[in-house]
C-alpha cells in the first residue's frame, strides 16, 4: 500500500509540474477552472491533505495568480521603460515592444482582469526559468473567444460540485495518460531563431512540432506570427551557404556498414505526409541518409512548411540530407500552381520579399546525385550533350522531333543552375532537360514537342547512360498518377512507383511521394505515395515501400485552376459555382464533422452536413459542407448541460461551416470571373495584334 501511494504521489507531482509549466491558449473559463482544480487535487495528494477541494479553492488560486500577474506586469512596464534597446535585432525589438504593450494592457484592465489581447508573450526577459532561457520556443497565451473574467459570480458553488482528494487514488494507471495529455495540450507556440545562429537537433524537433500544431490550429493568415520573416530569412541564408558549395551532381558516400539511404520523390506541399515519413522511417542520422528529388512546393497547402523543415535538416546535417531541385522550384511554376499565392496568404504585405527569398534558395539547389557510386537520382531525367545544346542554339529552327545526342555527367557539371526558370533555348537548355525530361518506350532522345521543355528519353538512352558511368540504377520523379493517366506504355503510379526501363545494365524507376494527389482539383487519384530504401552492401537493389495519405486538416486551395481554354461568353454563374464547389469542397481529407443523435430529442429531420448544389447541367449534386476554422458561439456556457450542449455545438459548427462555404465560394467566383475576363481580354488583344 505504501508503494502504491508513492507511485500516486510521484504521478501527481508530475501533473503539478506539467500544469505549472503551462501557458493557457484558447482555454475558456470552464477549462481554466478544470485545469486549476486538477492542480489543486494533485497538490492535495502530494501534500497529504485529506480535505476536499472546492471551487472556492480554485477561485482563491486564480485570484492569487492574477494578482501576481498584474504585479509582475507593473514590474515589466517599469523595467522596459528604463531598458536600452541598443543592440537588439529586429526580431527581439518586436518582441520587447509587444511585451510592453501587453503588460500595459494587463495593468490598465485591473482590477476586473479582462484579458482580450490576442497574445501574451513570454520572452527571455521574464517568466522564463533559467534552464529554459536558451529554448527557441516562446509560449503564447491566446484567447480567441472572449475575456477571461474572474469575479464574485464565479465563486458560487454547490456541495455536489466538490471533489475528494481520495478520488485520485484510483488513478494510478492513468497518470501517464494525464501527463501526456497535459504536455501536448493545444498551446500555440512560435519559433525564434537561435541567438547563437546554431541550428541544433532540438531546434529542428521544436520546429517540426510547432509547424505541425500550427497547421491544425492556426489560420494561414496567422502563420507569419508562427514563423516570422526574420526566421525565414535566417534559415534560408544558412541553407544557401551550404547549398551553393555543392556541385550540380552531389556524390553521396554512404558505404559504411548499417548505412541506408532513403530516396523521396515529389511531395508537393503535403506536409503531413512528410511528417509521417520522418516519424515512420526515423530522422536523419549518422547511418541514415535522405535524398529528396525535388518538387517540394505547389499543388498542396503547406509548401512553406515542407521546404522550411527540409532546409532546417539540411543546415543541421548537410552530409546526411540532400535536396535536389524539381521543375516546380521555379518562378514559372510557383506562379501558376499555388506556392506564390500560399506565400501571399501567409505573409501578407511581406510576401513579396519572402517569395523572392524562396526563389533565391531554389536557384542554389543541386540537380542530381550519385549514391554509393552506383545509383543516379534526379528530378526529371536524362539530358542532351553540351554540343547538342550549342547546335540547337545556332540553328533554333531545327525540327522539334529531331534526335539529339545524350549528355554525360561531365556535361551536367557545366550547367548554370542559377537560372530561376528553365530556358527554352540556348546553351543552358540542359537545365530544362534535367528538370522536365520523361522516359519514353521508343529508343532515342527527342525534344518534347508538346511542352517544349525537356526530352523524351528512350530505353537505349538509359542503357547508354548507365553503361557510360558504370551505374546500376536511375531513380527519377516528376510524374504522378495524373501524368500517367491514359498511358498504357508505363505504370499508372497508383502505388507510388514504376519500373519504366529495364535493360542489361540496370533499371530506371519513377518515384512519387505525394499520396492522395492532387490535394485540390476536380480530378483526384486515390494513389499511394512511395519511397525507396537503399541499403549497404547492395545499394543497387532498392526496396520500394508504398504508403497512404496521412490525416491532414481541411484547407482551401491556393492554386488558380486553369481557364486558358474557357470561353467567358459561354460560362454562366452556375457553371462557375459548381466548378468552385467541386474543386474546393470535395476533398476526402476534410476533417471529421461532428455527429449528434437528434432523434434522442425527438427531432427526425435534423440538418445534415450535405447540401444539394446545381451541377451546371440542369441537375444537382451533394456537396459536403467544410468545417470552419473559427466558430461563433463556442465555447458554450458551462450551465448548458448534455445532450443540449452537443446539439448546440453541432448547430453552431454547421452554421459556421455554411457561412464559411458561402464566403469562400463568393471570393473564388469573383476571382475566377476576374481571371477569365483578364485572359479573354489578353486573347482579344493578341488577336488585334
Amino acid at each position: 500500500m505504501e508503494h502504491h501511494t508513492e507511485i500516486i504521489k510521484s504521478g501527481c507531482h508530475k501533473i503539478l509540474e506539467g500544469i505549472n509549466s503551462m501557458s493557457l491558449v484558447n482555454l475558456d473559463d470552464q477549462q481554466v477552472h478544470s485545469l486549476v482544480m486538477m492542480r489543486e487535487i494533485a497538490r492535495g495528494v502530494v501534500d497529504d491533505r485529506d480535505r476536499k477541494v472546492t471551487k472556492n479553492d480554485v477561485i482563491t488560486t486564480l485570484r492569487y495568480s492574477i494578482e501576481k500577474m498584474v504585479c509582475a506586469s507593473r514590474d515589466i512596464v517599469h523595467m522596459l521603460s528604463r531598458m536600452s534597446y541598443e543592440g537588439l535585432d529586429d526580431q527581439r525589438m518586436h518582441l520587447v515592444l509587444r511585451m510592453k504593450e501587453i503588460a500595459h494592457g494587463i495593468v490598465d484592465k485591473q482590477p476586473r482582469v479582462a484579458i482580450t489581447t490576442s497574445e501574451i508573450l513570454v520572452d527571455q526577459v521574464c517568466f522564463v526559468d533559467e534552464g529554459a532561457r536558451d529554448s527557441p520556443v516562446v509560449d503564447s497565451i491566446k484567447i480567441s473567444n472572449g475575456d477571461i473574467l474572474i469575479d464574485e459570480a464565479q465563486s458560487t458553488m454547490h456541495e455536489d460540485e466538490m471533489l475528494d482528494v481520495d478520488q485520485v487514488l484510483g488513478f494510478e494507471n492513468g497518470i501517464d495518460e494525464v501527463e501526456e495529455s497535459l504536455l501536448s495540450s493545444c498551446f500555440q507556440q512560435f519559433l525564434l531563431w537561435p541567438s547563437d545562429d546554431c541550428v541544433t537537433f532540438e531546434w529542428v524537433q521544436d520546429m517540426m512540432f510547432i509547424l505541425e500544431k500550427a497547421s491544425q490550429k492556426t489560420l494561414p493568415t496567422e502563420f507569419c506570427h508562427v514563423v516570422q520573416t526574420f526566421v525565414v530569412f535566417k534559415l534560408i541564408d544558412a541553407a544557401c551557404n551550404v547549398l551553393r558549395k555543392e556541385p550540380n551532381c552531389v556524390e553521396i558516400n554512404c558505404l559504411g556498414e548499417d548505412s541506408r539511404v532513403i530516396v523521396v520523390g515529389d511531395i508537393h506541399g503535403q506536409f503531413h505526409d512528410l511528417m509521417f515519413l520522418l516519424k515512420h522511417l526515423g530522422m536523419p542520422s549518422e547511418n541514415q541518409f535522405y535524398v529528396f528529388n525535388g518538387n517540394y512546393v505547389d499543388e498542396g497547402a503547406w509548401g512553406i512548411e515542407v521546404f522550411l523543415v527540409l532546409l532546417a535538416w539540411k543546415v543541421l546535417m548537410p552530409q546526411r540530407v540532400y535536396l535536389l531541385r524539381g521543375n516546380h522550384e521555379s518562378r514559372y511554376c510557383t506562379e501558376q500552381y499555388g506556392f506564390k499565392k500560399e506565400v501571399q496568404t501567409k505573409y501578407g504585405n511581406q510576401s513579396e520579399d519572402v517569395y523572392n527569398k524562396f526563389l533565391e534558395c531554389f536557384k542554389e539547389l543541386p540537380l542530381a546525385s550519385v549514391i554509393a557510386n552506383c545509383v543516379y537520382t534526379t528530378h526529371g531525367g536524362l539530358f542532351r550533350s553540351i554540343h547538342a545544346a550549342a547546335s540547337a542554339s545556332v540553328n533554333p529552327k531545327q525540327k522539334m522531333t529531331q534526335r539529339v545526342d545524350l549528355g554525360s555527367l561531365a556535361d551536367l557539371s557545366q550547367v548554370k543552375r542559377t537560372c530561376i526558370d528553365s530556358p527554352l533555348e540556348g546553351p543552358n537548355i540542359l537545365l530544362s532537360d534535367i528538370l522536365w525530361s520523361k522516359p519514353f518506350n521508343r529508343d532515342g532522345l527527342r525534344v518534347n514537342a508538346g511542352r517544349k521543355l525537356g526530352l523524351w528519353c528512350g530505353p537505349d538512352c538509359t542503357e547508354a547512360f548507365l553503361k557510360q558511368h558504370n551505374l546500376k540504377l536511375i531513380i527519377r520523379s516528376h510524374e504522378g498518377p495524373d501524368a500517367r493517366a491514359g498511358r498504357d506504355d508505363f505504370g499508372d503510379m497508383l502505388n507510388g512507383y514504376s519500373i519504366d526501363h529495364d535493360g542489361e545494365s540496370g533499371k530506371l524507376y519513377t518515384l512519387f511521394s505525394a499520396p492522395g494527389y492532387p490535394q485540390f482539383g476536380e480530378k483526384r487519384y486515390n494513389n499511394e505515395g512511395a519511397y525507396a530504401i537503399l541499403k549497404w552492401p547492395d545499394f543497387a537493389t532498392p526496396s520500394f515501400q508504398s504508403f497512404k495519405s496521412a490525416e491532414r486538416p481541411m484547407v482551401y486551395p491556393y492554386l488558380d485552376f486553369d481557364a486558358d481554354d474557357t470561353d467567358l461568353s459561354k460560362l454562366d454563374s452556375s457553371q462557375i459555382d459548381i466548378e468552385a464547389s467541386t474543386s474546393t469542397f470535395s476533398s476526402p481529407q476534410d476533417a471529421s464533422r461532428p455527429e449528434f443523435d437528434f432523434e434522442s430529442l425527438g427531432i427526425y429531420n435534423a440538418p445534415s452536413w450535405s447540401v444539394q448544389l446545381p451541377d451546371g447541367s440542369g441537375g444537382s449534386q451533394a456537396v459536403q459542407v467544410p468545417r470552419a476554422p473559427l466558430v461563433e458561439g463556442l465555447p458554450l456556457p458551462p450551465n448548458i448541460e448534455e445532450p443540449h450542449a452537443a446539439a448546440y455545438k453541432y448547430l453552431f459548427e454547421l452554421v459556421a461551416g455554411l457561412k464559411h462555404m458561402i464566403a469562400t465560394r463568393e471570393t473564388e467566383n469573383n476571382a475566377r470571373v476576374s481571371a477569365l475576363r483578364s485572359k479573354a481580354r489578353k486573347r482579344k488583344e493578341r488577336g488585334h495584334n
Side-chain angles (χ1 to χ4, degrees):
M1 181 61 182
E2 183 177 347
H3 176 67
H4 174 82
T5 302
E6 288 302 317
I7 293 177
I8 296 295
K9 283 188 175 183
S10 175
C12 288
H13 185 71
K14 291 180 180 179
I15 292 174
L16 266 177
E17 291 179 342
I19 297 177
N20 287 336
S21 66
M22 286 180 177
S23 297
L24 307 181
V25 179
N26 290 334
L27 298 186
D28 57 36
D29 295 353
Q30 185 60 45
Q31 291 169 321
V32 172
H33 277 249
S34 300
L35 196 63
V36 177
M37 177 76 79
M38 182 181 297
R39 185 181 70 176
E40 293 307 302
I41 294 173
R43 190 193 305 279
V45 174
V46 172
D47 295 343
D48 290 321
R49 295 200 306 243
D50 57 1
R51 71 176 183 85
K52 295 179 178 180
V53 177
T54 70
K55 278 195 173 181
N56 278 334
D57 295 319
V58 176
I59 297 298
T60 300
T61 301
L62 286 172
R63 283 179 174 159
Y64 176 69
S65 299
I66 291 171
E67 289 172 3
K68 286 181 63 178
M69 181 173 66
V70 173
C71 292
S73 297
R74 288 196 186 99
D75 293 339
I76 292 173
V77 171
H78 180 66
M79 180 180 65
L80 294 181
S81 297
R82 297 184 304 163
M83 176 179 172
S84 171
Y85 299 156
E86 184 177 355
L88 292 181
D89 56 35
D90 293 342
Q91 177 182 221
R92 283 171 174 76
M93 175 72 77
H94 170 77
L95 293 176
V96 169
L97 294 177
R98 184 73 177 119
M99 185 188 302
K100 184 176 180 180
E101 176 188 348
I102 293 169
H104 266 299
I106 294 173
V107 173
D108 293 342
K109 291 181 183 295
Q110 201 267 340
R112 193 161 183 250
V113 194
I115 305 173
T116 55
T117 182
S118 64
E119 298 172 312
I120 294 180
L121 304 179
V122 184
D123 196 24
Q124 295 169 325
V125 180
C126 59
F127 297 125
V128 181
D129 295 336
E130 287 297 322
R133 285 186 180 273
D134 294 331
S135 173
V137 177
V138 176
D139 291 331
S140 166
I141 299 177
K142 186 159 186 173
I143 299 122
S144 63
N145 288 296
D147 302 350
I148 291 181
L149 300 175
I150 307 298
D151 52 32
E152 290 296 332
Q154 290 178 317
S155 64
T156 304
M157 54 157 288
H158 301 281
E159 188 66 26
D160 58 0
E161 291 178 324
M162 296 190 299
L163 297 178
D164 199 326
V165 171
D166 291 339
Q167 293 175 314
V168 183
L169 295 179
F171 215 46
E172 177 179 352
N173 294 332
I175 283 176
D176 291 338
E177 286 81 356
V178 172
E179 181 186 3
E180 180 180 352
S181 174
L182 292 173
L183 294 178
S184 62
S185 296
C186 56
F187 299 136
Q188 180 171 335
Q189 298 170 315
F190 64 90
L191 202 63
L192 277 178
W193 183 252
S195 57
D196 59 357
D197 286 339
C198 182
V199 171
T200 64
F201 179 82
E202 290 74 19
W203 189 87
V204 178
Q205 291 287 89
D206 282 337
M207 177 190 197
M208 292 168 59
F209 175 82
I210 291 169
L211 293 184
E212 193 165 16
K213 291 299 181 184
S215 72
Q216 299 164 352
K217 301 183 180 299
T218 304
L219 292 174
T221 51
E222 296 179 354
F223 183 82
C224 57
H225 303 302
V226 178
V227 183
Q228 297 180 14
T229 55
F230 177 86
V231 178
V232 175
F233 287 7
K234 294 289 284 186
L235 179 56
I236 289 180
D237 285 342
C240 286
N241 288 336
V242 175
L243 293 169
R244 66 171 55 100
K245 297 175 184 177
E246 294 183 333
N248 288 340
C249 182
V250 293
E251 295 186 9
I252 302 174
N253 180 15
C254 51
L255 300 178
E257 292 186 18
D258 300 325
S259 292
R260 73 173 188 170
V261 181
I262 298 166
V263 183
V264 181
D266 300 38
I267 300 174
H268 279 303
Q270 297 185 192
F271 176 67
H272 302 86
D273 296 313
L274 172 63
M275 291 298 97
F276 165 79
L277 290 179
L278 292 173
K279 294 174 183 177
H280 176 67
L281 297 170
M283 305 299 166
S285 64
E286 184 65 26
N287 294 322
Q288 178 146 295
F289 299 69
Y290 275 90
V291 178
F292 294 88
N293 270 356
N295 277 15
Y296 312 107
V297 302
D298 282 339
E299 308 282 3
W302 299 281
I304 292 175
E305 289 86 337
V306 167
F307 197 55
L308 290 181
V309 164
L310 294 180
L311 289 182
W313 279 112
K314 181 63 182 178
V315 172
L316 179 64
M317 307 189 74
Q319 304 302 318
R320 293 296 179 270
V321 176
Y322 294 89
L323 308 179
L324 308 184
R325 184 174 174 181
N327 64 304
H328 278 264
E329 279 70 65
S330 65
R331 186 191 304 274
Y332 169 77
C333 283
T334 52
E335 288 181 346
Q336 297 289 324
Y337 296 99
F339 182 67
K340 183 176 184 179
K341 188 174 180 182
E342 177 187 348
V343 176
Q344 290 172 337
T345 301
K346 293 180 178 179
Y347 283 96
N349 56 13
Q350 299 174 307
S351 61
E352 184 175 357
D353 292 338
V354 175
Y355 177 64
N356 289 331
K357 196 71 174 179
F358 278 115
L359 295 183
E360 289 178 18
C361 190
F362 292 161
K363 294 189 295 184
E364 303 293 349
L365 296 170
L367 307 176
S369 76
V370 173
I371 303 170
N373 299 319
C374 63
V375 179
Y376 177 79
T377 81
T378 190
H379 179 73
L382 300 180
F383 47 91
R384 72 193 80 192
S385 67
I386 290 287
H387 173 74
S391 300
S393 180
V394 172
N395 184 20
K397 295 184 179 181
Q398 64 179 338
K399 292 183 179 180
M400 299 298 292
T401 56
Q402 180 177 331
R403 295 182 61 163
V404 295
D405 296 332
L406 179 66
S408 66
L409 291 181
D411 293 325
L412 173 58
S413 67
Q414 299 182 50
V415 174
K416 295 179 180 178
R417 70 183 195 235
T418 53
C419 296
I420 189 56
D421 284 320
S422 301
L424 294 173
E425 58 185 17
N428 208 41
I429 198 172
L430 273 70
L431 178 63
S432 301
D433 297 345
I434 295 163
L435 300 181
W436 290 86
S437 291
K438 300 179 179 181
F440 202 49
N441 61 353
R442 297 201 302 267
D443 285 348
L445 192 67
R446 294 177 173 84
V447 173
N448 186 336
R451 186 176 287 275
K452 300 181 181 179
L453 285 168
L455 306 171
W456 293 109
C457 309
D460 62 326
C461 298
T462 297
E463 175 69 19
F465 188 84
L466 292 173
K467 193 170 186 178
Q468 178 183 0
H469 299 290
N470 196 28
L471 300 169
K472 302 297 183 185
L473 200 67
I474 296 175
I475 301 178
R476 46 90 61 177
S477 296
H478 186 51
E479 293 180 283
D482 57 329
R484 294 293 176 88
R487 290 185 60 183
D488 298 329
D489 49 346
F490 287 117
D492 57 20
M493 297 298 295
L494 292 178
N495 64 349
Y497 69 98
S498 170
I499 302 177
D500 295 334
H501 292 159
D502 188 356
E504 180 181 347
S505 297
K507 301 176 181 179
L508 181 145
Y509 289 88
T510 295
L511 176 66
F512 193 76
S513 303
Y517 178 85
Q519 185 178 351
F520 307 111
E522 297 182 15
K523 178 64 174 178
R524 303 192 66 233
Y525 301 84
N526 188 29
N527 65 295
E528 296 178 316
Y531 54 87
I533 300 179
L534 314 176
K535 289 184 178 181
W536 183 90
D538 187 9
F539 289 96
T541 305
S543 170
F544 287 86
Q545 303 292 327
S546 300
F547 65 98
K548 295 184 180 298
S549 177
E551 183 178 353
R552 59 195 181 212
M554 193 278 295
V555 290
Y556 298 100
Y558 294 118
L559 68 159
D560 296 319
F561 297 101
D562 190 9
D564 284 339
D565 299 324
T566 305
D567 186 345
L568 185 62
S569 63
K570 298 179 181 179
L571 187 66
D572 60 29
S573 59
S574 64
Q575 289 176 304
I576 297 176
D577 282 347
I578 192 58
E579 286 181 15
S581 66
T582 55
S583 66
T584 304
F585 303 118
S586 61
S587 171
Q589 301 295 337
D590 284 358
S592 60
R593 295 169 177 82
E595 297 179 357
F596 180 73
D597 182 15
F598 279 94
E599 293 185 6
S600 64
L601 298 178
I603 300 173
Y604 298 95
N605 59 340
S608 74
W609 283 77
S610 177
V611 296
Q612 293 291 326
L613 294 176
D615 61 6
S617 59
S620 65
Q621 70 171 15
V623 175
Q624 292 296 308
V625 177
R627 294 195 64 172
L630 295 176
V631 180
E632 296 172 321
L634 296 182
L636 297 169
N639 61 329
I640 300 180
E641 299 179 350
E642 299 294 352
H644 299 90
Y648 278 126
K649 182 179 179 182
Y650 179 97
L651 294 173
F652 280 153
E653 293 206 14
L654 178 56
V655 169
L658 287 167
K659 290 175 66 176
H660 190 50
M661 180 178 180
I662 292 170
T664 302
R665 285 161 56 83
E666 185 67 20
T667 300
E668 290 181 348
N669 290 348
N670 292 339
R672 183 183 291 269
V673 170
S674 176
L676 291 174
R677 286 173 175 165
S678 175
K679 290 179 180 180
R681 185 169 56 253
K682 290 179 180 178
R683 285 197 297 269
K684 186 176 181 180
E685 291 173 354
R686 287 197 297 268
H688 286 313
N689 294 333

